[in-house]
C-alpha cells in the first residue's frame, strides 16, 4: 500500500509557473513508476507525465512537452512537477499516481494508487 498526497496547486496567471509535489508514504517508493494525471469536469482523466523508478526515464504528453518537467527524489519519497508557461487549458485537478508495473505507461488503468488531487487554475 502506498499513500500519496499532492500539494502546490493554486491560482496563477497565464504564463506563470507552479511546482506540484507528490509525497508518498508506505511501501518502498523507488519500486513505483509515478505519474501525474489531470482531469476537468466531464472529461476523462488525462495523462500528463511519468517518471521511472530510478528517475532515468521521463515521459510527457505532447500538450505539456517543453513546458512541464517531472522529477523525483527517492530519498524524500517525493515526485515533483514543475510547470512553466502555463495556459488556461492547463486548468484541472492534478493527481499523482503510482504503478507497480515494471515500466511507465500513459493509461490510467495501469496505476494502483492515487492521491486526492490538487487544483490548478490558470487565468487568462
Amino acid at each position: 500500500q502506498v499513500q500519496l498526497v499532492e500539494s502546490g496547486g493554486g491560482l496563477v496567471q497565464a504564463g506563470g509557473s507552479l511546482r506540484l509535489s507528490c509525497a508518498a508514504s508506505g511501501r518502498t517508493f523507488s519500486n513505483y513508476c509515478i505519474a501525474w494525471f489531470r482531469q476537468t469536469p466531464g472529461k476523462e482523466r488525462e495523462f500528463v507525465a511519468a517518471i521511472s523508478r530510478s528517475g532515468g526515464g521521463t515521459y510527457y504528453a505532447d500538450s505539456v512537452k517543453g513546458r512541464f518537467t517531472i522529477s523525483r527524489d527517492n530519498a524524500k519519497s517525493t515526485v515533483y512537477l514543475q510547470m512553466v508557461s502555463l495556459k488556461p487549458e492547463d486548468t484541472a485537478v492534478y493527481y499523482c499516481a503510482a504503478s507497480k508495473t515494471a515500466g511507465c505507461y500513459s493509461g490510467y488503468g495501469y496505476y494502483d494508487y492515487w492521491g486526492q488531487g490538487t487544483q490548478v487554475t490558470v487565468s487568462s
Side-chain angles (χ1 to χ4, degrees):
Q1 187 80 7
V2 174
Q3 292 79 42
L4 302 170
V5 179
E6 302 96 335
S7 62
L11 173 64
V12 64
Q13 288 189 330
S17 302
L18 281 174
R19 188 176 82 156
L20 306 184
S21 298
C22 172
S25 60
R27 303 294 291 271
T28 305
F29 181 69
S30 58
N31 287 348
Y32 299 89
C33 166
I34 304 295
W36 287 94
F37 288 79
R38 65 188 182 187
Q39 190 170 24
T40 53
K43 291 190 176 181
E44 279 201 355
R45 202 159 289 192
E46 174 191 22
F47 172 78
V48 174
I51 188 164
S52 64
R53 297 170 175 180
S54 67
T58 56
Y59 313 90
Y60 297 94
D62 287 343
S63 59
V64 306
K65 206 171 289 184
R67 300 188 298 122
F68 291 11
T69 303
I70 190 170
S71 61
R72 69 189 294 162
D73 184 338
N74 284 344
K76 295 182 178 179
S77 298
T78 302
V79 167
Y80 305 98
L81 185 69
Q82 179 68 50
M83 307 184 294
V84 302
S85 302
L86 282 162
K87 305 175 181 179
E89 50 264 43
D90 294 318
T91 295
V93 177
Y94 283 70
Y95 299 89
C96 68
S99 173
K100 295 184 288 188
T101 58
C104 282
Y105 301 93
S106 60
Y108 61 77
Y110 287 97
Y111 292 83
D112 305 285
Y113 306 104
W114 293 83
Q116 83 289 349
T118 186
Q119 176 72 46
V120 171
T121 303
V122 184
S123 63
S124 57

